[in-house]
Amino acid sequence: VQLQASGGGLVQPGGSLRLSCAASGSIWSINVMGWHRQAPGKQRELVATISSGGTTNYADSVKGRFTVSRDNAKNTVYLQMNSLNVEDMAVYYCNADIRTIWSGGFKAYWGQGTQVTVSS
């Protein structure tokens, strides 16, 4: 199983970016998908999660600005980020709880990270 994240880049303060993360491999089912981020010198923190049924959860710092969504048919999770500021600058990691066709339970998988830089 692999998670491939994309969509990071450089954006001006107040701008928007959309991150995508596609899961591939011998997938039986996916439970929760989400995004975390890690800024230099800081611990990795939760940004947003979304359940297989569409229930979402957000960090207080991104509520009202970020929107997490998913396409179950494509095994893909998205993160629409609006009104970006310098505090949002970090490496963003996607993750998903996945049950493979070989396993009897769910396991957490992580993507490789994509850099989001907010600068004028």
Side-chain angles (χ1 to χ4, degrees):
V1 173
Q2 289 187 330
L3 271 65
Q4 183 67 45
S6 61
L10 173 64
V11 63
Q12 292 185 340
S16 299
L17 280 176
R18 188 191 194 209
L19 306 182
S20 300
C21 177
S24 62
S26 302
I27 297 170
W28 180 259
S29 64
I30 303 178
N31 192 3
V32 177
M33 305 183 81
W35 296 90
H36 288 65
R37 66 187 181 186
Q38 187 167 19
K42 295 187 177 181
Q43 289 187 330
R44 190 173 297 191
E45 63 175 359
L46 173 72
V47 176
T49 63
I50 183 167
S51 72
S52 57
T55 300
T56 57
N57 179 52
Y58 295 94
D60 288 343
S61 59
V62 306
K63 283 181 180 177
R65 300 187 299 122
F66 290 12
T67 301
V68 62
S69 61
R70 65 192 281 173
D71 185 333
N72 291 329
K74 296 181 179 180
N75 292 334
T76 300
V77 61
Y78 306 95
L79 186 67
Q80 177 66 44
M81 305 184 292
N82 299 327
S83 301
L84 285 160
N85 56 59
V86 294
E87 286 75 31
D88 297 315
M89 190 159 58
V91 177
Y92 283 69
Y93 298 91
C94 60
N95 70 287
D97 292 336
I98 296 174
R99 179 182 174 187
T100 69
I101 61 175
W102 312 112
S103 67
F106 288 88
K107 175 184 174 182
Y109 291 84
W110 291 84
Q112 83 283 9
T114 184
Q115 176 71 48
V116 172
T117 302
V118 183
S119 176
S120 55

